[in-house]
Amino acid sequence: MDLVNVFDFEEAARAALDRNAFDYYLHGANDEVTLRDNRAAFDRIRLRYRILAGIRDRDLTTLLLGHQLSMPVLAAPTAFHKLAHPDGELATVAGVGAAGTGMFLSTLSTVAMEEVVAAAAGPVFFQLYIYKDRELTRDLVARAVAAGCSAIALTVDAPVFGKREPDIRNRFHLPEGIAIENAAPAGYGGFPDDPGGSGLTGYVNSLMDPSISWDDLEWLVAASPIPVLIKGVVRGDDAARCAEHGASGIVVSNHGGRQLDTSIATIDALAEVVDAVDGRLDVLLDGGVRRGTDVVKALALGAKAVLLGRPILWGLAVDGSRGVQAVLDIIRDELDTAMALCGASTLDEITPDLVV
Amino acid sequence: MDLVNVFDFEEAARAALDRNAFDYYLHGANDEVTLRDNRAAFDRIRLRYRILAGIRDRDLTTLLLGHQLSMPVLAAPTAFHKLAHPDGELATVAGVGAAGTGMFLSTLSTVAMEEVVAAAAGPVFFQLYIYKDRELTRDLVARAVAAGCSAIALTVDAPVFGKREPDIRNRFHLPEGIAIENAAPAGYGGFPDDPGGSGLTGYVNSLMDPSISWDDLEWLVAASPIPVLIKGVVRGDDAARCAEHGASGIVVSNHGGRQLDTSIATIDALAEVVDAVDGRLDVLLDGGVRRGTDVVKALALGAKAVLLGRPILWGLAVDGSRGVQAVLDIIRDELDTAMALCGASTLDEITPDLVV
Amino acid sequence: MDLVNVFDFEEAARAALDRNAFDYYLHGANDEVTLRDNRAAFDRIRLRYRILAGIRDRDLTTLLLGHQLSMPVLAAPTAFHKLAHPDGELATVAGVGAAGTGMFLSTLSTVAMEEVVAAAAGPVFFQLYIYKDRELTRDLVARAVAAGCSAIALTVDAPVFGKREPDIRNRFHLPEGIAIENAAPAGYGGFPDDPGGSGLTGYVNSLMDPSISWDDLEWLVAASPIPVLIKGVVRGDDAARCAEHGASGIVVSNHGGRQLDTSIATIDALAEVVDAVDGRLDVLLDGGVRRGTDVVKALALGAKAVLLGRPILWGLAVDGSRGVQAVLDIIRDELDTAMALCGASTLDEITPDLVV
Amino acid sequence: MDLVNVFDFEEAARAALDRNAFDYYLHGANDEVTLRDNRAAFDRIRLRYRILAGIRDRDLTTLLLGHQLSMPVLAAPTAFHKLAHPDGELATVAGVGAAGTGMFLSTLSTVAMEEVVAAAAGPVFFQLYIYKDRELTRDLVARAVAAGCSAIALTVDAPVFGKREPDIRNRFHLPEGIAIENAAPAGYGGFPDDPGGSGLTGYVNSLMDPSISWDDLEWLVAASPIPVLIKGVVRGDDAARCAEHGASGIVVSNHGGRQLDTSIATIDALAEVVDAVDGRLDVLLDGGVRRGTDVVKALALGAKAVLLGRPILWGLAVDGSRGVQAVLDIIRDELDTAMALCGASTLDEITPDLVV
């Protein structure tokens, strides 16, 4: 089977994975209205390309928080990579590095962050959930800094976990031998099978702190010598507050449609967020990015870069680090083509007039 | 089979009920444009959730007409519960009570209102159809008051009955042993099988008074020592008149799409109604509520609470009072999650800026 | 099979008719965009019904050009009724008369107009195509007047015939024994089978005059002692000109989607036409009317009455005059119900505020 | 099988062609959003036809760059006609000539341009890709002029080639004996099978110059004694620049949805382009034209003529030059009918008020 686009990788991953894992990765919350709309919203945007722009080559590189990336596309934080491949996040970071870009590493990684960062060729941003156990949380931040992570990305769209119904039906669980390695030393590394539903949801809703607030952001910014990003913003007023409370960046995200169903599609929320922060910090976006033209649209509407979530997992499931790299290379090629066809030789030339 | 959401209950009820009953509950008038649009209109609304709201717990309780409810969700008035379960409305009111909320009891109840109210843990609002036989009507009101009902809810969207085509095809009828118990003492307790169509439509169109008017509302308000709600309002001007004529509340409703097909979806009509009454009375809503996020949307647009119709019947059909409670608990859990994810700790914090 | 709505009649007619006839009646021009949109446009309109209107009975009667009709619904002019039933237009006019309303009789009737009018209980409006042979045309008008027709309805949306592709594929033809009786005496009563396509299109495009103009309207108005209606108007400027040139009424129509595909849906064109004529003449409408609520919508937007096309033919095919009457009675019952549910006791109370 | 419309020709071509060829012709880039939208955008436009226009005959002729055409419909430049028929572009030009109109001849013709022009009855416009090898490019222009081409049409929407996924899967290739005859003398006449994807994309991306700019347009205009058209414009600002840099015409085109997916539909881009050029040059359009009414819509929105792409190929595949002529005759007949039904006797009478 030819793997021509990231949808092909999804189909190949469907064949490669068991249902517990594939459904966990694939699905969203409730009726999946947002999951579908994240994607559909990109397809509703039309491109008005420029002609005769005199472009011989495209430069896709960008500088994000001081890190040189081969393109404005990073791996989004996703959990439990060992469900997709025995090497787990090590394979992911290897593929991401081979592609010359950076990776967001989940708190719920199945490989310890120190190992992941050690294997990384590019920046690793540590995605943080704040546990009710603040000792554990403080320890995670300290470990991330010590390990060499380049930033902390605080997830704010998941004070409790969304209702992911396939996981309830599947009694989603971690197979023998797979643990949340970042939390394992503190005793929070696994969750039991839950005969009543998703073990993960029980884990998160019992251990994570739903009450995190702007004060916690201030605490985190003060405690962290590395930049703090806020992931899960969909409103301008919240985005402005992030800037005011010391965040270094924002990820416009609705958690890939896995949290609050019928929340606004990320690409539809982007312009308001960009307008509100008014250049004070970098705005990233995830949710529904599947084509190079999606990257063009996000950048035209003001994003600095985008994060790729599920497609990275499909690549990982299909062929480990090579699969991850292949997925990123597909997006890179599509982005390069889209820029050429739009008449943009650099990312700065991806301007708002390109979209309608 | 897991019963994870209310749609699962619908499917289980489909298997549990005969066609005469299931079709009666499920369907709407004519082409069911409004039936579908009630639901679709909710899904068209997008949520703009707030982050870092610092919420540990959610308080879902509300005070409605002086009654404390565990959440802003009540059972809508629906007819003939013995079609779904042998215990009929007694099972429903038990499930509703176990869930800590209130119930609208239909004129067309298959259990006498006195028995229902006696078994109720929370408020029972008596839904009233005005019969041409005003003695019977007056008797119903007096009985409702004497029985301890907390309010009268006058249905105004059904001066005649809508054309529910499956009921015509099924020759909808009440099986042996099931009667309209509230009207039975007056001799209006049953309707014969109608070889030409729905027996119910014949009953209603021959016995109910299509000519009820604002004068009747005044009469009813004067005659009733308990509050009078008006159910079936979709216009601001009508809503304002309700306030002027002494109503204590309004239910924005199109009878679940069972009356005038292509009438406006209730959630689309809500804002105009809320604006017109300008706080003079409470506005409730029914029609298409199937998810916790729907409740959030209705409250964000100004509703005080919502009514749940068909899903209550699916719960009743599947498991009697336990099924009713289970359905309400699902909506409660979803509402709790949605509030957490929207950054709202109380119902008052569900503000208009959450929807777009 | 129950025949509960007019769609049921369509299905029954499909079973009763051969393909040559059924396809001729059912289909529209080219891709049938307009055919579908005529219907869909009605379903896009939402009703904002009024409550507590105090209506005991509805009066559906109307006065159209001096003729009392039982309801604002007439039979549209359609061709070749003998394809549907051996009694042809005689059965139709009998059913229409039994329903207490009026009929538009096509130039392409398979029964001579004198016979039809003689059998009519209500008004017959003669639909006129202008033949290149003006003698024949003049003769048709004179015969219509002499026969007792109540008006001439000049079709203006068919200077040439639309491309009805199923008729081309079917080699649409008139079976042995069926002729265009109104034109038969002049020798234009039949058309040969056309091995290359629809015989009718060949007939029309060779014999009808595509060049009819506003002068012809003036000529016709001057020549006709009975009122002249213009059928096929979709623009305000044309409607105003109709008024200025002596027309007594307009039928907003796109020929049931059978002429110019992608032309505007009639209900979408109505308001502009009504506004332009400003009360100077009556505005009727056809195209997509299938439900009582459609009649309400058309009247709310300013139509005096609507015409029912294909459903009349389905009734005719299913059960002759009784079928025609049954279809009209279904629409009447639905209109009566819709008016009751909208809070309108007379047609005048069907006001613009009912639609959105 | 009757070939009643151009969609019938598509189905017949599907049966006649192998997959390598049919997929190459049929498909577009990536998810084919633009491919579908080019067509859907036409169907979203509604026609407001005029009545009683007094039109006996329609005059479809037009004068384009001094050439008399039987109708405002030409053959778009498409590649590799020998994939569809052994006579290749010779058959096409014969069919086009028989239909009395003109043809755009692709650089990627499988018959040398001299042979095609020699066989032409009407104007041939040579579509130019600029090779990195400017000698070859200059030679192509000189040959086109010498051969008698009437204009050069510079393609500007393909600096690199779009991602046409079926061609990648099919390993699109030119069968033995078929070559790019216009480039063959210079040694660029063929491309090898590419085991990794579409051979054509490799060919184009390696040999064509992606960096063409407004300077190249000036160079071309200066070098060309015949008019230069720019094909692939979708923006007003670019259109204005075309006028300023000496172009004689514009083709609003997105390359039939084969280049930048999700680019704006051509009919949606037309009005902005027409407005920007303000009569300084002729505006043509291609993309999604399949019906006579589409031609009416394009002309109503300001196009001088339209180009027909894939349908010409379906005609060619089905029946060579006769098939090409048949397709053009279908569109002509449909346009004639549409004009009659719109009340337009000449192309000038196709005015903006006809569309909404």
Side-chain angles (χ1 to χ4, degrees), chain A residues 136-160:
Chain A
L136 170 62
T137 310
R138 194 185 315 263
D139 176 56
L140 284 170
V141 173
R143 281 177 59 196
V145 173
C149 288
S150 300
I152 300 292
L154 179 65
T155 293
V156 294
D157 57 9
V160 300

Side-chain angles (χ1 to χ4, degrees), chain A residues 1-8 39 42-58 290-294 296-297 330-331 333-334 336-343 351-356, chain D residues 30-31 33-34 37 132 134 154 156-163 165 168-171 205 209-214 216-217 230 232-239 242 253-255 259-265 272:
Chain A
M1 179 191 176
D2 281 329
L3 298 170
V4 172
N5 57 39
V6 300
F7 303 108
D8 291 341
R39 177 88 212 103
F42 274 113
D43 278 349
R44 286 193 296 263
I45 297 173
R46 290 286 172 271
L47 290 169
R48 298 170 64 249
Y49 59 83
R50 290 186 294 258
I51 57 169
L52 292 172
I55 296 170
R56 190 165 309 273
D57 295 299
R58 273 72 58 193
R290 298 291 180 272
R291 288 288 188 184
T293 44
D294 300 335
V296 169
K297 291 170 185 177
I330 284 175
I331 296 294
D333 288 347
E334 290 184 356
D336 181 76
T337 296
M339 287 174 64
L341 296 178
C342 282
T351 46
D353 60 291
L354 287 175
V355 296
V356 66
Chain D
N30 301 89
D31 299 313
V33 171
T34 294
D37 199 38
K132 292 176 185 172
R134 291 293 159 99
L154 178 67
V156 293
D157 57 10
V160 300
F161 247 36
K163 188 175 178 182
E165 303 187 358
I168 299 173
R169 299 183 201 282
N170 290 339
R171 312 288 185 263
N205 287 349
D209 187 348
S211 72
I212 57 169
S213 69
W214 296 102
D216 294 287
L217 173 56
I230 306 299
V233 181
V234 297
R235 298 167 57 115
D237 52 5
D238 280 341
C242 289
S253 173
N254 51 35
H255 217 111
Q259 286 289 101
L260 180 67
D261 197 26
T262 75
S263 59
I264 187 170
E272 175 187 324

Side-chain angles (χ1 to χ4, degrees), chain C residues 8 43 48 136 143 210 237 245 269:
Chain C
D8 291 340
D43 277 350
R48 298 170 64 250
L136 170 62
R143 280 176 60 196
D237 53 4
H245 285 73

Side-chain angles (χ1 to χ4, degrees), chain D residues 115-138:
Chain D
E115 291 184 64
V116 176
V117 178
V124 174
F125 304 123
F126 182 70
Q127 176 271 325
L128 182 72
Y129 284 116
I130 295 186
Y131 286 79
K132 292 176 185 172
D133 179 345
R134 291 293 159 99
E135 290 301 313
L136 170 63
T137 309
R138 193 185 315 263

Side-chain angles (χ1 to χ4, degrees), chain C residues 271-283:
Chain C
E272 175 186 325
V273 167
V274 167
D275 194 51
V277 301
D278 197 21
R280 286 177 286 176
L281 42 72
D282 285 334
V283 178

Side-chain angles (χ1 to χ4, degrees), chain A residues 15-32:
Chain A
L17 295 177
D18 67 19
R19 193 164 180 172
N20 179 65
F22 184 72
D23 279 0
Y24 172 70
Y25 292 147
L26 182 70
H27 286 291
N30 301 91
D31 299 312
E32 304 191 332

Side-chain angles (χ1 to χ4, degrees), chain B residues 277-313:
Chain B
V277 302
D278 196 22
R280 286 176 287 176
L281 41 71
D282 285 334
V283 178
L284 312 182
L285 172 144
D286 72 11
V289 177
R290 298 293 180 270
R291 288 288 188 183
T293 44
D294 300 335
V295 185
V296 169
K297 291 169 185 177
L299 269 62
L301 291 167
K304 177 76 175 175
V306 302
L307 280 56
L308 208 57
R310 291 176 181 86
I312 295 287
L313 295 166

